[in-house]
């Protein structure tokens, strides 16, 4: 499929996108109520969505149109655009059978299925299907264009936990309804008794997805997922335990400002003021499960961030990687649109986020990250006047290095005219603003490739001190890699000892057989 895509020139792709949109409008959108009008409008405006369907169908316009038709009919049947947390029975969330948490080694979000918690029940199958659709739609709106890695945790499961109709539905979600959404599907610790069932599943996947199916044991799963995002029963170190409410989410926290944060005393009040909203809005939601401490900055430090302070601004942004793409939001345009790129060189350790206020009012903004210990952000909490722009410098701190799992969240909300923009006013504003009025935009991290060291390490083990800037290792990463390397070496040593014991046993059997044969022959003579 990748080879087919490479053969398509950019001009050809643009022509096929336009052809697909025009054919869909002329040949499929005949009845006004056949599809949800919001889906039809999005298809006509979003070239990336059309290209996703085309890519998944190897740039066949007719095949892509059939896929769009099936997808839109399903979306209307399930009411995807209006599906909210309250639409799903509460007991389903409480079971923890399905949830999003953690990342694989490529930075793709993990979509967990705890198979042992599922039982076949015709009465609840429709609710279960909506339950899966809720998670997929939630993620698709929060991180558009980013694929998922599905993990089927088969631990302690049996035949009674396999519902082939439900499995086929999950397959169709990625095969038909969400194009280019599947990174890989990992089946972990599958009991041998289920081999026949999964052979049937393979036939459902189709050629475009069959290569994405991976079977792994507990020892092999670390090929795809680092220990920090694996549960303890898979040999990982992730202490995460699912609980509801609230829904699990990325742990976005306030990053450290270069002038240092001043932590307020009313932490509990700030957490209550930032409780999670229920509605699934495409760009007006702030669904964060674990809320960070509220941070104030001194008036002196905020004054240094004024937009008319050109000298300081030039000095602060010097050496920062300039963004090349822009996300156009209802309140702010955010550059870059999707990712910040960091490397290990000194010139690659600083990036720039540019916010342009496209509204008619003053806009408050703040920046959060899933790795606050790694990054310094200046400013991380301020406001922007109508028509103005703000340069935000994001830099790696100390010997830390960026990883594909790191995320940033830019939050913005309109302020009333003549509203104060000092630290106390902003803190109170974020405490009082309704969550439906907040625009949020997520940025992921891209790690620039660097030259690998010549020194080699045992097969299957990474360099334990690789990664820090200027040769300084990230201690957490170093310890984790050393532990993984040790575990792999111990596993190989155990295998060698086992083989040695088997060989010794075979030798003893041969010797015993030879002795008995000689004894028998001597007795016969």
């Amino acid at each position: 499929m990748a080879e087919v895509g490479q053969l398509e020139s950019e001009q050809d792709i643009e022509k096929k996108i336009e052809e697909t949109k025009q054919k869909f409008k002329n040949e499929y959108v005949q009845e006004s109520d056949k599809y949800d009008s919001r889906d039809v409008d999005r298809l006509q405006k979003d070239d990336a969505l059309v290209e996703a369907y085309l890519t998944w169908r190897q740039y066949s316009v007719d095949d892509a149109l059939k896929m769009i038709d099936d997808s839109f009919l399903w979306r209307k049947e399930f009411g995807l655009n209006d599906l909210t947390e309250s639409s799903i029975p509460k007991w389903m969330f409480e079971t923890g059978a399905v949830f999003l948490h953690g990342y694989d080694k490529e930075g793709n979000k993990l979509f967990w299925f705890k198979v042992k918690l599922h039982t076949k029940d015709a009465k609840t199958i429709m609710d279960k299907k909506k339950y899966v659709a809720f998670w997929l739609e939630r993620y698709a709106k929060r991180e558009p264009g980013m694929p998922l890695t599905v993990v089927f945790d088969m631990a302690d499961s049996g035949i009674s936990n396999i519902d082939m109709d439900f499995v086929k539905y999950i397959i169709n979600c990625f095969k038909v309804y969400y194009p280019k959404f599947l990174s890989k599907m990992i089946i972990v610790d599958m009991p041998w008794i289920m081999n026949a069932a999964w052979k049937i599943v393979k036939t459902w996947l189709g050629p475009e997805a069959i290569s994405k199916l991976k079977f792994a044991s507990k020892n092999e799963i670390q090929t795809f997922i680092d220990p920090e995002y694996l549960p303890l029963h898979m040999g990982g170190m992730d202490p995460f335990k699912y609980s509801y409410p609230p829904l699990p989410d990325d742990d976005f926290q306030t990053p450290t400002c270069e002038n240092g944060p001043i932590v307020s005393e009313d932490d509990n009040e700030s957490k209550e003021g930032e409780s999670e909203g229920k509605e699934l809005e495409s760009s007006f939601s702030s669904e964060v499960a674990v809320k960070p401490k509220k941070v104030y900055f001194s008036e002196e430090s905020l004054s240094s961030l004024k937009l008319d302070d050109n000298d300081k601004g030039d000095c602060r942004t010097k050496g920062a990687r300039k963004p090349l793409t822009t996300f156009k939001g209802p309140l702010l345009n955010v550059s870059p649109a999707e990712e910040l790129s960091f490397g290990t060189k000194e010139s690659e350790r600083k990036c720039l986020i540019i916010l342009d206020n496209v509204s008619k009012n003053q806009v408050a903004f703040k920046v959060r990250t899933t790795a606050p210990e790694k990054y310094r952000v200046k400013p991380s909490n301020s406001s922007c006047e109508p028509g103005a722009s703000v340069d935000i410098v994001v830099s790696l701190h100390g010997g830390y290095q960026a990883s594909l799992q790191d995320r940033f969240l830019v939050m913005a909300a309109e302020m009333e005219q003549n509203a104060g923009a000092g630290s106390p006013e902003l803190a109170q504003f974020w405490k009082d603003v309704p969550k439906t009025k907040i625009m949020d935009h997520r940025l992921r991290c891209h790690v620039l490739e660097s030259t690998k060291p010549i020194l080699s390490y045992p097969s299957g083990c990474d360099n334990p001190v690789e990664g820090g800037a200027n040769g300084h290792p990230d201690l957490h990463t170093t310890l984790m890699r050393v532990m993984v390397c040790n575990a792999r070496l111990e596993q190989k040593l155990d295998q060698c000892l086992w083989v040695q014991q088997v060989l010794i046993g075979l030798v003893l059997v041969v010797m015993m057989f030879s002795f008995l044969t000689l004894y028998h022959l001597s007795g016969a003579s």
Side-chain angles (χ1 to χ4, degrees), residues 19 105 116 122 164 173 176 274 343 380 392 404 410 443 486:
E19 181 185 353
K105 287 188 174 182
K116 70 176 183 180
M164 298 304 284
C173 283
V176 180
E274 296 184 38
S380 63
I392 301 174
L404 296 172
V410 179
L443 298 170
N486 285 342

Side-chain angles (χ1 to χ4, degrees), residues 133-145:
F134 167 83
W135 284 106
L136 291 173
E137 189 70 6
R138 184 174 189 260
Y139 180 75
K141 289 179 177 179
R142 293 159 70 91
E143 296 204 31

Side-chain angles (χ1 to χ4, degrees), residues 151-391:
V151 183
F152 283 96
D153 183 0
M154 308 290 289
D156 303 322
S157 63
I159 292 295
S160 62
N161 301 119
I162 295 294
D163 182 346
M164 298 304 284
D165 179 53
F166 186 58
V167 173
K168 189 171 185 178
Y169 167 78
I170 296 171
I171 297 296
N172 278 336
C173 283
F174 295 100
K175 184 180 176 181
V176 180
Y177 308 142
Y178 289 94
K180 290 183 66 178
F181 212 55
L182 181 64
S183 168
K184 64 185 76 69
M185 184 177 291
I186 308 174
I187 318 298
V188 186
D189 259 2
M190 186 182 71
W192 66 268
I193 199 170
M194 296 187 184
N195 282 334
W198 282 102
K199 285 181 179 178
I200 297 174
V201 170
K202 279 187 176 182
T203 64
W204 295 339
L205 285 171
E208 67 277 355
I210 190 67
S211 62
K212 300 177 183 292
L213 185 63
K214 313 292 180 182
F215 292 88
S217 65
K218 288 181 181 178
N219 295 328
E220 296 167 336
I221 187 61
Q222 291 186 16
T223 304
F224 308 104
I225 306 170
D226 284 324
E228 63 177 310
Y229 291 116
L230 283 175
L232 301 179
H233 73 272
M234 289 185 182
M237 299 182 293
D238 189 358
F240 171 81
K241 290 185 178 180
Y242 180 90
S243 62
Y244 177 84
L247 293 171
D249 194 12
D250 293 318
D251 185 8
F252 283 106
Q253 300 181 39
T254 304
T256 303
C257 177
E258 291 181 3
N259 294 332
I262 304 172
V263 183
S264 69
E265 296 179 357
D266 57 341
D267 296 331
N268 292 331
E269 291 182 9
S270 68
K271 289 180 181 179
E272 292 173 1
E274 296 184 38
S275 60
E276 182 180 353
K278 299 279 185 178
E279 296 296 323
L280 254 180
E281 299 292 338
S282 60
S283 60
F284 286 88
S285 64
S286 177
E287 302 172 352
V288 182
V290 182
K291 295 297 177 182
K293 294 181 179 180
K294 182 169 59 179
V295 175
Y296 292 145
F297 297 96
S298 63
E299 292 295 336
E300 182 180 353
S301 73
L302 284 173
S303 64
S304 68
L305 307 177
K306 295 298 183 182
L307 297 175
D308 57 352
D309 194 353
N310 295 325
D311 294 335
K312 290 184 179 180
D314 293 340
C315 179
R316 186 165 53 83
T317 61
K318 184 178 180 180
R321 184 178 294 273
K322 302 296 190 296
L324 301 176
T325 57
T326 300
F327 164 78
K328 295 183 178 181
L331 302 179
L332 296 175
N333 288 345
V334 183
S335 303
E338 296 181 351
E339 60 186 23
L340 299 173
S341 298
F342 294 94
T344 55
K345 297 179 182 178
E346 192 62 36
S347 59
E348 300 171 343
R349 296 178 56 79
K350 188 184 289 187
C351 287
L352 194 64
I353 299 176
I354 300 176
L355 305 181
D356 293 308
N357 187 348
V358 295
S359 72
K360 298 180 180 179
N361 298 313
Q362 185 178 13
V363 173
F365 68 86
K366 58 182 175 181
V367 181
R368 287 178 169 176
T369 177
T370 56
E373 73 284 356
K374 288 185 180 183
Y375 301 96
R376 294 199 172 191
V377 179
K378 185 176 182 180
S380 63
N381 185 9
S382 188
S383 63
C384 183
E385 297 293 332
S389 66
V390 174
D391 291 346

Side-chain angles (χ1 to χ4, degrees), residues 283-284 331-332 334 355 363-367 382 409-415 429-430 433-435 437-441:
S283 60
F284 286 88
L331 302 179
L332 296 175
V334 183
L355 305 181
V363 173
F365 68 86
K366 58 182 175 181
V367 181
S382 188
L409 177 69
V410 179
M411 304 172 65
E414 275 187 302
M415 304 179 72
F429 170 80
W430 286 112
V433 65
K435 299 307 167 186
K437 299 296 183 181
I438 296 176
M439 164 195 149
D440 64 32
H441 184 65

Side-chain angles (χ1 to χ4, degrees), residues 39-64:
D39 292 329
V40 176
D41 291 341
R42 187 162 67 99
L43 186 77
Q44 296 299 325
K45 297 176 182 177
D46 191 350
D47 287 355
L49 178 63
V50 181
E51 186 178 355
Y53 283 110
L54 284 167
T55 305
W56 200 238
R57 285 295 176 260
Q58 301 183 13
Y59 292 95
S60 168
V61 172
D62 291 337
D63 290 348

Side-chain angles (χ1 to χ4, degrees), residues 14-74:
E14 291 178 357
K15 288 181 179 178
K16 289 194 174 184
I17 289 174
E18 288 303 317
E19 181 185 353
T20 303
K21 291 196 292 186
Q22 195 62 38
K23 275 193 171 184
F24 185 77
K25 183 178 180 180
N26 295 338
E27 299 177 14
Y28 286 83
V29 186
Q30 299 170 353
E31 304 172 22
S32 59
D33 60 344
K34 183 179 181 180
Y35 311 115
D36 188 318
S37 60
R38 289 167 288 186
D39 292 329
V40 176
D41 291 341
R42 187 162 67 99
L43 186 77
Q44 296 299 325
K45 297 176 182 177
D46 191 350
D47 287 355
L49 178 63
V50 181
E51 186 178 355
Y53 283 110
L54 284 167
T55 305
W56 200 238
R57 285 295 176 260
Q58 301 183 13
Y59 292 95
S60 168
V61 172
D62 291 337
D63 290 348
L65 287 169
K66 180 63 171 62
M67 186 178 181
I68 294 170
D69 179 56
D70 291 340
S71 177
F72 281 15
L73 289 173
W74 170 76

